[in-house]
C-alpha cells in the first residue's frame, strides 16, 4: 500500500506516526497509509514558506500565470486518477468526483488570468501637489485549513488565489481526505512551483492546525469547516493578529410556493438535499412548503428518495455514495433518531447493507417538522432534510430567515414578484431561484453571513480581498 507524505520545502517527508486512510464504500479496501507530520514539521513548513515567499512574489506575472495554467493542465491530465482516488476516499460517486476535479482545473485556469488583473487606484490628495496611490501586496505566508467534503475543490479555490497574488502556502487538508490533497501537491510541485512556496502538511486539526495558527510567521488563515471549529480558529487567529477568512456550516432553506413547477421543485430538493450524500455546506436541509402544493411535493419527493440507488462510490449505478466517515455516520444516525421524535413522520433513514461493508445510509426525509425543532435548526451535514409548513410566502420567508446561519437559500416559484422580493430579502450570501441551493460557479464570489461565514468572500475576483493587503502611498511630486 502506498504511503502518502507531507511536502515541505520541496521534499516529501516521512513521519514516525502512520494512520490508514479508510475507504467508506469498502472498509476492507483502504486507500493508502498516511505519514502524519509532527508539530515540528508543521513549523518547518511555515519557515520554508517564509523564506520562499519574497522570491515568489517577485516572480514575473507571465511566469506565475504560466505555472497556474500548468497546474490546471496537470489536474486535467491526471483527472481520471484524481477522480478515482477522490471517490474512493471521500465516498462521492464518480460523476460527482469528476465534476469536482474539473472544477479544480477551472479554478487554477481562472486565477492564471487573475494574476494580470491585480491593479490599483490613483487619487488626488486633498493636499495640493500630492497624489495617493493604492496598491495591493501579498499577505505573506497563508495557512489553508480545509474540510473533507470537497477534497480538491476547496484546497484549489484557496491555493490558486493565494499563489496567483504572490503568497506562500501551507495547506492542511482534512485528516479524512489526505490522498486527494497529496495528488494535488504532486501536480503543483511538478508544475514548477519553487520549493517552499507550496507546502502540504498532513495531520490532525488539534495538532497541525493549532501549530499553524500559533506560528508568528503565518499572516493569514483561510478556513473552511464547521462553525464549532471556526470559533476555536477565530480565537487563536485573532490572538495572533492574523487576517482571517472562514466559511462554515449552513441550515439552508428552500421555499416551495403553490405556483412552483412541481418537477423543478422536486428536482431542486432532491439534488440540493441528498446528492453528495447531503454533505454540502449549501445543502437544502429545510424545505418550506405552502399548503396548495405540500401534499403533491412531499409525495413526489418521498417516492424519488426511496427510488435512489445508494451504493459503492465507484459503481456506475450508484447515485448516492456512502457517508464519508464514521463520526459523520454516527452523527447522522443520532439525528435520524431525533427526527423520529420531533417530526410528524419520517421516510428512509435506515442503515443499509451492501456487498462491501461501508457507511451506507438511506436518505431521510422528516415531514411536518416544527421550525423550532432541533432538526430544523442544527446543521446535520448528512442526507437528512425536513419539510416545514408555511401559510404563505411571507411566513415562509420569515421561517427561512429565522436561523443563526446564512449561507444559501432558494425559492421555487413562477412569480417574478415573489422571486424578486425573495432575492432582495433573504438573509444569506447565496440566493437561488428555481435552482438547488447547492452548485455554484467558480468565477463569482462565494460566501455567507452569520454563523456561516467570517471575513471576505472566496472565489472570483473577490478572492483578492483576503489574499492581498492594501497599501496607500502618498507622493509629493
Ligand atoms: P471540521 O471543522 O471538523 O474540520 C475542518 C478542518 O479543520 C480539518 O482540516 C480539521 O482537521 C481542522 N481542524 C479541526 N479542529 C481544529 C483546530 N482546533 N484547529 C485547527 N484546525 C482544526 O469540519 P469537517 O467535518 O471537515 O467539515 C464539515 C463542515 O464544513 C460542515 O460544517 C460544513 O458545513 C462545513 N463546510 C463549509 C463550507 C463553506 O464554504 N461554507 C464548505 C464545505 C464544508
Amino acid at each position: 500500500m502506498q504511503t502518502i507524505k507531507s511536502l515541505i520545502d520541496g521534499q516529501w517527508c516521512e513521519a514516525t506516526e502512520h494512520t490508514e486512510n479508510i475507504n467508506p464504500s469498502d472498509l476492507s479496501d483502504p486507500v493508502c497509509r498516511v505519514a502524519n507530520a509532527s508539530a515540528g514539521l508543521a513549523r518547518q513548513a511555515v519557515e520554508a514558506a517564509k523564506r520562499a515567499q519574497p522570491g515568489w512574489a517577485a516572480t514575473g506575472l507571465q511566469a506565475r500565470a504560466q505555472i497556474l495554467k500548468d497546474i490546471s493542465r496537470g489536474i486535467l491530465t491526471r483527472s481520471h486518477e484524481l477522480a478515482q482516488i477522490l471517490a474512493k476516499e471521500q465516498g462521492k460517486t464518480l460523476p460527482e468526483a469528476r465534476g469536482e476535479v474539473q472544477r479544480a482545473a477551472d479554478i487554477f485556469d481562472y486565477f492564471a488570468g487573475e494574476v494580470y488583473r491585480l491593479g490599483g487606484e490613483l487619487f488626488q490628495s486633498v493636499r495640493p501637489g500630492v497624489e495617493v496611490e493604492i496598491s495591493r501586496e501579498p499577505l505573506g505566508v497563508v495557512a489553508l485549513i480545509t474540510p473533507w467534503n470537497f477534497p480538491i475543490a476547496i484546497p484549489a479555490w484557496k491555493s490558486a488565489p493565494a499563489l496567483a497574488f504572490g503568497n506562500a502556502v501551507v495547506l492542511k487538508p482534512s485528516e479524512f481526505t489526505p490522498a486527494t490533497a497529496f495528488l494535488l501537491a504532486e501536480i503543483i510541485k511538478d508544475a514548477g512551483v519553487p520549493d517552499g512556496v507550496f507546502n502540504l502538511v498532513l495531520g490532525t486539526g488539534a495538532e497541525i492546525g493549532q501549530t499553524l495558527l500559533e506560528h508568528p510567521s503565518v499572516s493569514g488563515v483561510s478556513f473552511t469547516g464547521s462553525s464549532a471549529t471556526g470559533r476555536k480558529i477565530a480565537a487563536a487567529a485573532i490572538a495572533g493578529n492574523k487576517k482571517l477568512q472562514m466559511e462554515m456550516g449552513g441550515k439552508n432553506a428552500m421555499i416551495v410556493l403553490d405556483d412552483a413547477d412541481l418537477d423543478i421543485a422536486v428536482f431542486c430538493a432532491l439534488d440540493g438535499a441528498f446528492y453528495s450524500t447531503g454533505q454540502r455546506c449549501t445543502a437544502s436541509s429545510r424545505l418550506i412548503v405552502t399548503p396548495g402544493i405540500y401534499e403533491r411535493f412531499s409525495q413526489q419527493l418521498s417516492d424519488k428518495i426511496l427510488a435512489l440507488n445508494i451504493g459503492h462510490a465507484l459503481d456506475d449505478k450508484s447515485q448516492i455514495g456512502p457517508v464519508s466517515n464514521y463520526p459523520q455516520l454516527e452523527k447522522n444516525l443520532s439525528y435520524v433518531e431525533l427526527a423520529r421524535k420531533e417530526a410528524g413522520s419520517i421516510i428512509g433513514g435506515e442503515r443499509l447493507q451492501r456487498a462491501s461493508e461501508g457507511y451506507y445510509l438511506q436518505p431521510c426525509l422528516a415531514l411536518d417538522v416544527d421550525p423550532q425543532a432541533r432538526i430544523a435548526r442544527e446543521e446535520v451535514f448528512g442526507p437528512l432534510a425536513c419539510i416545514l409548513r408555511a401559510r404563505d410566502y411571507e411566513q415562509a420567508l420569515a421561517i427561512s430567515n429565522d436561523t443563526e446561519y446564512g449561507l444559501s437559500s432558494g425559492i421555487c416559484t413562477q412569480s417574478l414578484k415573489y422571486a424578486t422580493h425573495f432575492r432582495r430579502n433573504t438573509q444569506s450570501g447565496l440566493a437561488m431561484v428555481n435552482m438547488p441551493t447547492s452548485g455554484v460557479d467558480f468565477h463569482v464570489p462565494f460566501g455567507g453571513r452569520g454563523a456561516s461565514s467570517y471575513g471576505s468572500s472566496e472565489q472570483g475576483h473577490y478572492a483578492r480581498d483576503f489574499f492581498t493587503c492594501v497599501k496607500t502611498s502618498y507622493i509629493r511630486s
Side-chain angles (χ1 to χ4, degrees), residues 254-336:
M254 192 185 85
I255 296 174
V256 181
L257 295 186
D258 286 356
D259 72 351
D261 178 312
L262 185 61
D263 289 341
I264 290 178
V266 170
F267 160 77
C268 290
L270 193 73
D271 179 292
F274 302 110
Y275 274 76
S276 295
T277 322
Q279 297 165 157
R280 294 187 287 196
C281 50
T282 47
S284 324
S285 49
R286 294 184 294 147
L287 306 167
I288 306 170
V289 187
T290 50
I293 198 168
Y294 188 97
E295 298 306 330
R296 285 176 295 143
F297 174 79
S298 309
Q299 190 57 54
Q300 273 207 23
L301 182 59
S302 303
D303 293 346
K304 296 247 184 225
I305 289 170
L306 293 174
L308 283 170
N309 197 350
I310 293 106
H312 196 298
L314 298 178
D315 183 340
D316 283 347
K317 293 186 288 305
S318 300
Q319 293 169 286
I320 308 273
V323 177
S324 198
N325 54 68
Y326 188 67
Q328 186 62 52
L329 176 68
E330 277 196 307
K331 185 176 173 193
N332 295 350
L333 289 169
S334 75
Y335 275 105
V336 170

Side-chain angles (χ1 to χ4, degrees), residues 257-262 264 411-419 433-434:
L257 295 186
D258 286 356
D259 72 351
D261 178 312
L262 185 61
I264 290 178
I411 189 166
C412 289
T413 179
Q414 297 188 58
S415 155
L416 182 62
K417 176 180 131 187
Y418 287 132
V433 177
N434 296 321

Side-chain angles (χ1 to χ4, degrees), residues 154-174:
I154 295 179
W157 83 50
K158 294 182 191 298
S159 301
L163 295 173
F165 303 135
N167 301 283
V169 167
V170 181
L171 169 65
K172 196 220 85 65
S174 169

Side-chain angles (χ1 to χ4, degrees), residues 22-258:
I22 304 285
N23 166 1
S25 299
D26 183 353
L27 303 185
S28 70
D29 179 25
V31 185
C32 59
R33 262 173 106 230
V34 186
N36 289 307
S38 60
L41 271 182
R43 283 191 282 273
Q44 284 179 32
V46 176
E47 281 140 28
K50 184 155 196 244
R51 286 192 300 277
Q53 189 270 327
W56 176 244
T59 301
L61 297 187
Q62 280 178 298
R64 242 191 293 151
Q66 188 59 51
I67 286 182
L68 290 183
K69 280 189 206 158
D70 289 346
I71 297 172
S72 175
R73 196 166 307 121
I75 292 172
L76 291 178
T77 306
R78 294 179 68 179
S79 61
H80 178 72
E81 178 193 3
L82 275 164
Q84 292 274 332
I85 291 292
L86 197 164
K88 195 172 170 186
E89 76 169 349
Q90 201 278 345
K92 64 180 66 174
T93 62
L94 257 184
E96 290 173 332
R98 284 193 203 106
E100 191 186 332
V101 169
Q102 177 66 48
R103 183 189 179 90
D106 291 339
I107 288 167
F108 276 99
D109 187 53
Y110 171 83
F111 280 103
E114 282 294 277
V115 168
Y116 298 105
R117 288 191 280 267
L118 191 65
E121 285 183 291
L122 194 65
F123 283 78
Q124 293 299 314
S125 166
V126 294
R127 288 164 282 185
V130 174
E131 283 187 339
V132 187
E133 184 208 64
I134 297 156
S135 55
R136 285 180 179 265
E137 298 178 353
L139 271 186
V141 176
V142 290
L144 312 179
I145 302 179
T146 56
W148 48 259
N149 66 329
F150 285 99
I152 191 164
I154 295 179
W157 83 50
K158 294 182 191 298
S159 301
L163 295 173
F165 303 135
N167 301 283
V169 167
V170 181
L171 169 65
K172 196 220 85 65
S174 169
E175 46 275 54
F176 293 112
T177 52
T180 312
F182 169 79
L183 291 180
L184 178 65
E186 272 191 348
I187 291 166
I188 291 176
K189 182 172 161 56
D190 291 348
V193 172
D195 291 353
V197 170
F198 178 89
N199 304 274
L200 172 76
V201 188
L202 304 177
T204 62
E207 187 177 12
I208 303 303
Q210 281 299 318
T211 304
L212 299 178
L213 288 165
E214 284 162 15
H215 201 295
S217 296
V218 170
S219 311
V221 177
S222 180
F223 164 77
T224 300
S226 63
S227 301
T229 305
R231 280 188 282 275
K232 289 187 209 159
I233 291 198
I238 290 165
N241 290 318
K242 297 182 195 321
K243 192 171 178 182
L244 181 61
Q245 171 183 65
M246 302 198 293
E247 287 302 334
M248 299 171 282
K251 192 73 188 175
N252 311 291
M254 192 185 85
I255 296 174
V256 181
L257 295 186
D258 286 356

Side-chain angles (χ1 to χ4, degrees), residues 373-451:
R374 280 181 54 208
I375 46 164
R377 305 197 74 80
E378 298 173 14
E379 185 188 45
V380 178
F381 209 55
L384 190 157
C386 310
I387 304 197
L388 286 66
R389 288 183 188 268
R391 221 178 17 250
D392 51 22
Y393 166 72
E394 285 74 20
Q395 193 187 29
L397 178 66
I399 294 171
S400 169
N401 282 337
D402 179 20
T403 170
E404 61 171 325
Y405 295 107
L407 187 53
S408 185
S409 61
I411 189 166
C412 289
T413 179
Q414 297 188 58
S415 155
L416 182 62
K417 176 180 131 187
Y418 287 132
T420 306
H421 186 273
F422 175 78
R423 284 197 294 112
R424 303 221 166 112
N425 293 282
T426 185
Q427 298 296 316
S428 59
L430 303 165
M432 307 297 201
V433 177
N434 296 321
M435 306 219 2
T437 55
S438 290
V440 294
D441 288 0
F442 59 84
H443 65 303
V444 288
F446 175 83
R449 300 175 182 180

